[in-house]
Amino acid sequence: MSPLSPTSRSRYSHAYAILAITTATCSRTQAFTTPNNILRHQHRQQQFQVKSSVLPIPTLTREDLGRIQPELNEDDLYIDLQNNNSNKKNNLSNNNDGKDGKKKIYNKVPKIGEIRRMLPKNSFNIDTKLSLFYFGLDFLAVATSMTFLHSVVTSKFYLALPIFAQALTVAPLQLLTGFAMWCMWCIGHDAGHSTVSSSKRINRIVGEFAHSMICLTPFVPWAKSHRQHHLHHNHITKDYSHQWFIREESDDLHPVIKASYWTRNIQLPILYMVYLLAGVPDGGHVIFYGRMWEKSKMKEKLNAYFSVLVSVATSAVLWTKLGFANFTVVCMVPWLVMSFWLFMVTYLQHHSDDGKIYTDDTFTFEKAAFETVDRNYGKWINRMSHHMMDGHVVHHLLFEKVPHYRLEDATVALVKGMKEREQLDLYKSVETKHFTQEIVKQFNNNWFFINEKQVVRK
């Protein structure tokens, strides 16, 4: 494994970056506190800076923190108190604070607040105009490629060809259109994490267009299940989107699960469709049932059904206008290409030879986040995919705070910070230039199995 080494300069050479990017410094939340009687006497109005993954933080109570971002607790905050090194000592293997010239030795996974301190301040700057610029470019890419594909499919030249020749003629265009849809899916993914804009309305509109309409993925149901995945990443039972089966217990699996394993190699293009429609393993995203809807109220379901309606209406209109054959060739085959990209990227981000899975007794948010994997698919694929692959670790650590166009610089800073702590071994990065071969090999060899030794138990 080798850490990524992109530079901030390279990001601005992105083919899309034809506009200037304006950044602003993050707001910093400050709280007034008096930690002890001595400080109260000497610094009656002393300010103590509080940094965490959630801004602003009105108080430091468990109740308030849980309401803002329930997957974290007060131990995840990094409170930099003047004349007080107690927070640092908790993360050192001894009580040395570095004043005696000895190097600090960290023996614990850094908390979210500590990770925030490693990153540039503008990593958390959500620029609505820049986000919409990327959305517009991807929309143009999808519209252009799909329109050209449709013009070829309806041309006299194409219609005169035999079926086999027709398939060969449009295959490159279908791959191109499917990749453009994948890039658009990544924009909808940001909207689902509220990182397109600080406006909920703008995030919702972009999400409905990018996911519900263009990618035929009901936005609100997807966002609901996907957030649960982020809250419980690499948890053996609570993780969403990813099933984990212990290899040594494979004989005890249900016959349907065993059948799925034996037919795994022909399922790759349709697994995302199975996920949305059949609700495996989270619950239905079109018809609502399963664990993701168990505690949902009718108001929430009605809100989610709007996204379903948008997807169904879009499909119906396209089917009616194009006819079944052209709808299949122009829309659904590229959709399968998009879904292959989605499954490939997602699977490889969460599977590695030394990856660990946690139980209720051993799970912590930060430890599990560092079990996800950054993968380098090549400079231009990484950029056109909005750093979905090579910025994944930062994304899992701060999934509602860092937009896609900040991930590259944030990842460089994370690697630097972990290296300074001599904890770079916690960070996983894999060169994956031959990604199609890698997904076929990994899925064939491992499927959703993990070995018992990979499960961290108490």
Side-chain angles (χ1 to χ4, degrees):
M1 296 184 183
S2 60
L4 302 177
S5 58
T7 63
S8 59
R9 190 188 316 168
S10 65
R11 172 165 58 85
Y12 296 103
S13 64
H14 192 300
Y16 290 166
I18 62 174
L19 296 181
I21 300 176
T22 303
T23 61
T25 58
C26 285
S27 61
R28 293 191 175 185
T29 303
Q30 294 186 335
F32 291 93
T33 183
T34 53
N36 54 50
N37 291 333
I38 297 176
L39 286 179
R40 183 182 296 111
H41 176 72
Q42 294 178 347
H43 305 285
R44 184 164 297 176
Q45 292 184 334
Q46 179 67 52
Q47 290 182 333
F48 297 94
Q49 190 176 69
V50 179
K51 297 181 179 182
S52 81
S53 65
V54 181
L55 295 176
I57 299 177
T59 69
L60 295 180
T61 66
R62 180 185 296 272
E63 180 181 356
D64 288 329
L65 186 62
R67 184 172 64 254
I68 297 170
Q69 193 159 334
E71 73 277 11
L72 304 179
N73 57 47
E74 55 265 36
D75 292 332
D76 291 294
L77 296 177
Y78 189 98
I79 307 176
D80 188 10
L81 298 177
Q82 295 180 10
N83 303 319
N84 187 343
N85 291 315
S86 62
N87 62 315
K88 297 179 181 179
K89 293 178 183 178
N90 290 333
N91 285 296
L92 301 178
S93 61
N94 53 46
N95 289 332
N96 171 41
D97 62 4
K99 291 182 179 179
D100 58 2
K102 294 181 180 180
K103 192 172 185 178
K104 297 176 183 179
I105 301 174
Y106 295 88
N107 64 357
K108 291 185 178 181
V109 176
K111 290 292 187 178
I112 293 296
E114 296 174 276
I115 292 166
R116 286 193 74 253
R117 289 167 62 90
M118 301 179 193
L119 308 187
K121 294 177 181 178
N122 75 336
S123 298
F124 311 99
N125 177 30
I126 299 174
D127 187 331
T128 301
K129 291 182 180 179
L130 184 58
S131 298
L132 294 178
F133 170 71
Y134 282 108
F135 169 74
L137 283 176
D138 283 343
F139 181 84
L140 181 63
V142 173
T144 301
S145 58
M146 189 171 286
T147 299
F148 184 59
L149 176 58
H150 178 259
S151 66
V152 171
V153 168
T154 56
S155 67
K156 293 181 180 180
F157 167 77
Y158 174 84
L159 295 173
L161 295 173
I163 294 178
F164 181 75
Q166 287 180 343
L168 291 178
T169 300
V170 298
L173 295 175
Q174 290 171 324
L175 292 173
L176 179 63
T177 304
F179 181 73
M181 292 173 69
W182 153 247
C183 297
M184 176 59 80
W185 189 96
C186 296
I187 297 296
H189 172 268
D190 256 30
H193 285 297
S194 302
T195 52
V196 165
S197 173
S198 57
S199 165
K200 291 183 179 180
R201 179 174 297 180
I202 292 176
N203 284 315
R204 179 65 184 270
I205 293 172
V206 170
E208 295 293 352
F209 271 97
H211 270 194
S212 300
M213 290 185 65
I214 297 174
C215 297
L216 300 181
T217 298
F219 174 65
V220 172
W222 168 84
K224 177 179 174 63
S225 63
H226 188 66
R227 190 170 193 277
Q228 293 303 310
H229 160 61
H230 274 274
L231 298 182
H232 306 291
H233 43 212
N234 281 55
H235 190 289
I236 192 167
T237 57
K238 295 180 180 178
D239 197 353
Y240 274 54
S241 305
H242 296 271
Q243 302 175 91
W244 304 104
F245 299 113
I246 299 176
R247 196 183 301 270
E248 289 82 350
E249 299 175 0
S250 59
D251 291 340
D252 300 328
L253 293 176
H254 191 279
V256 173
I257 301 299
K258 290 181 179 180
S260 179
Y261 168 73
W262 290 114
T263 58
R264 63 192 181 282
N265 290 323
I266 62 174
Q267 296 176 20
L268 278 174
I270 64 169
L271 282 170
Y272 186 51
M273 183 181 295
V274 172
Y275 174 72
L276 293 178
L277 298 179
V280 179
D282 302 341
H285 291 68
V286 177
I287 299 174
F288 300 162
Y289 62 93
R291 62 174 178 168
M292 65 181 284
W293 301 104
E294 287 176 354
K295 298 181 180 180
S296 299
K297 297 181 179 180
M298 182 56 65
K299 182 179 180 180
E300 181 184 7
K301 290 182 179 180
L302 290 175
N303 183 45
Y305 268 125
F306 176 80
S307 297
V308 175
L309 180 62
V310 172
S311 292
V312 172
T314 301
S315 300
V317 169
L318 290 172
W319 189 328
T320 302
K321 295 292 185 180
L322 301 178
F324 174 75
N326 287 348
F327 174 72
T328 301
V329 174
V330 174
C331 300
M332 289 312 300
V333 174
W335 188 91
L336 291 175
V337 173
M338 177 209 75
S339 67
F340 176 83
W341 271 98
L342 173 56
F343 181 80
M344 174 178 65
V345 170
T346 304
Y347 182 91
L348 293 178
Q349 285 168 341
H350 294 276
H351 291 79
S352 60
D353 295 337
D354 59 346
K356 296 180 180 65
I357 306 300
Y358 297 92
T359 66
D360 280 341
D361 293 329
T362 59
F363 176 88
T364 69
F365 181 84
E366 294 88 353
K367 281 194 303 184
F370 274 108
E371 292 304 322
T372 63
V373 185
D374 278 354
R375 288 185 179 266
N376 179 20
Y377 284 44
K379 180 173 67 174
W380 292 108
I381 292 180
N382 290 342
R383 291 176 180 177
M384 288 187 287
S385 300
H386 306 295
H387 300 289
M388 183 70 71
M389 305 89 152
D390 61 324
H392 192 68
V393 175
V394 169
H395 172 63
H396 261 264
L397 287 164
L398 296 155
F399 60 92
E400 292 182 341
K401 299 301 164 190
V402 183
H404 68 85
Y405 40 83
R406 312 289 186 204
L407 286 173
E408 188 174 21
D409 284 349
T411 298
V412 173
L414 175 68
V415 170
K416 180 182 177 182
M418 296 300 288
K419 187 175 182 179
E420 290 174 351
R421 292 170 61 101
E422 296 188 356
Q423 289 185 303
L424 192 56
D425 58 300
L426 294 177
Y427 169 75
K428 293 181 173 63
S429 175
V430 181
E431 288 290 324
T432 316
K433 299 294 180 64
H434 305 292
F435 42 84
T436 52
Q437 295 95 317
E438 184 69 14
I439 182 60
V440 171
K441 181 185 73 173
Q442 289 287 346
F443 197 65
N444 178 64
N445 292 343
N446 298 315
W447 190 56
F448 297 108
F449 282 132
I450 53 169
N451 300 317
E452 173 60 37
K453 66 180 182 181
Q454 293 176 268
V455 182
V456 181
R457 302 186 188 276
K458 196 168 184 178

